[in-house]
Amino acid sequence: GILMVKLLDLAKVIRSKNSGPYELTLDIILKDEASYRLLIEKQCITKEVIANLYRIPVEDVINVIHFEPAHAIKATIVRPICSGDLNETDVYGAQQHAPLLQLEFDI
């Protein structure tokens, strides 16, 4: 059968931060190697997944990197509003990981 798995249940850290004033990096650090391998093998975190989740064009997802030593997946996206710009409410980019908290996968 198909099992629904929440990213929140597999990750020990889900965070966001600035990657310069025009980019945001999303970090997903998995609890263990098995969780990391599962997400990689099932292609759960792709440019398309990030684009859909953040409602941005796939071209605005700069990269998705797998970092095996830390069992981590990093995605970098174009910031919708430049850090510190007028109407920008999260200068450090630390509150932008919230959409990831709702992410679920069919495994």
Side-chain angles (χ1 to χ4, degrees):
I2 293 177
L3 178 65
M4 290 299 289
V5 177
K6 292 183 180 188
L7 179 60
L8 205 49
D9 294 334
L10 299 178
K12 65 178 175 183
V13 174
I14 299 175
R15 65 184 176 207
S16 62
K17 62 185 182 233
N18 284 346
S19 180
Y22 305 107
E23 298 173 3
L24 279 172
T25 293
L26 309 166
D27 292 329
I28 302 163
I29 303 171
L30 288 310
K31 290 179 179 175
D32 53 38
E33 184 176 357
S35 298
Y36 173 78
R37 296 243 173 266
L38 182 69
L39 291 189
I40 301 300
E41 288 169 15
K42 299 286 185 179
Q43 298 183 357
C44 293
I45 308 290
T46 63
K47 285 186 173 189
E48 292 75 18
V49 168
I50 298 295
N52 288 336
L53 198 58
Y54 282 84
R55 297 186 176 109
I56 59 175
V58 74
E59 301 80 45
D60 284 356
V61 180
I62 297 165
N63 60 33
V64 174
I65 296 170
H66 303 151
F67 187 63
E68 189 171 356
H71 301 136
I73 301 171
K74 299 172 73 79
T76 303
I77 63 174
V78 174
R79 271 187 83 105
I81 300 174
C82 175
S83 176
D85 215 351
L86 214 54
N87 298 322
E88 198 278 320
T89 58
D90 185 11
V91 133
Y92 299 106
Q95 307 300 315
Q96 304 308 309
H97 62 287
L100 289 169
L101 301 179
Q102 306 303 317
L103 195 55
E104 292 184 336
F105 314 106
D106 293 335
I107 302 294

